[in-house]
């Protein structure tokens, strides 16, 4: 039987760098520094993995950006999250997009989360994996 995982997109706007820190990833076509952070590399199946895409805008003007998600399940299939947009403040402003991936007890194994961040100049991707164990 194929397990079902539920994805809940929750927009978090936190203007300063706090517990998650500032992104250290290299800038790419999106012009933003960004990284994907997972709460844990492994969870118990039936639990929820919390992921956050963090972006920093080093430019002197605010940047409108959007993040979309693709989650691939170990038991087949996956989910595609609609893009969520927010404006990242100028001069070191930070924005965060949160994704909660609820796993099913009958879908154990290796999950992959891919976040794509896009602004008017281009896009960049981050990918992380986690395991849901019995």
């Amino acid at each position: 039987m194929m397990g079902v995982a539920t994805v809940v997109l929750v927009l978090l706007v936190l203007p300063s760098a706090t517990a998650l820190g500032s992104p250290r990833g290299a800038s790419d076509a999106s012009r933003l520094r960004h990284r994907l952070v997972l709460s844990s590399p492994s969870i118990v199946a039936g639990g929820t993995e919390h992921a956050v895409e963090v972006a920093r805008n080093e430019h002197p003007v605010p940047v409108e950006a959007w993040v979309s998600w693709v989650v691939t399940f170990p038991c087949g299939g996956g989910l595609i999250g609609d893009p969520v947009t927010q404006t990242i403040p100028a001069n070191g402003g930070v924005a965060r997009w949160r994704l909660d991936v609820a796993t099913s007890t009958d879908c154990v194994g290796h999950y992959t989360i891919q976040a794509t961040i896009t602004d008017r100049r281009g896009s960049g991707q981050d990918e992380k994996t986690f395991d849901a164990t019995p």
Side-chain angles (χ1 to χ4, degrees):
M1 179 175 185
M2 182 183 292
V4 177
T6 304
V7 174
V8 179
L9 291 176
V10 178
L11 175 66
L12 292 181
V13 179
L14 303 172
S16 63
T18 56
L20 292 176
S22 297
R24 290 182 298 261
S27 294
D28 49 29
S30 71
R31 302 181 311 149
L32 303 169
R33 292 198 172 284
H34 56 89
R35 68 182 173 128
L36 179 59
V37 180
L38 299 181
S39 61
S40 175
S42 181
I43 64 169
V44 175
T48 300
E49 174 63 62
H50 306 286
V52 180
E53 179 72 9
V54 184
R56 183 177 181 95
N57 177 14
E58 299 289 353
H59 301 281
V61 295
V63 173
E64 184 176 65
W66 54 96
V67 170
S68 58
W69 305 90
V70 176
V71 180
T72 306
F73 306 139
C75 52
L79 292 172
I80 299 173
D82 290 332
V84 177
T85 303
Q86 61 180 301
T87 300
I88 306 171
N91 300 316
V94 175
R96 293 174 175 85
W97 289 261
R98 181 172 171 172
L99 173 72
D100 293 327
V101 180
T103 64
S104 174
T105 56
D106 62 346
C107 187
V108 298
H110 195 70
Y111 287 73
T112 301
I113 300 174
Q114 185 179 70
T116 301
I117 185 165
T118 306
D119 69 12
R120 66 182 184 86
R121 295 215 178 166
S123 64
Q125 292 184 335
D126 295 303
E127 185 174 289
K128 295 280 184 166
T129 59
F130 71 93
D131 291 314
T133 59

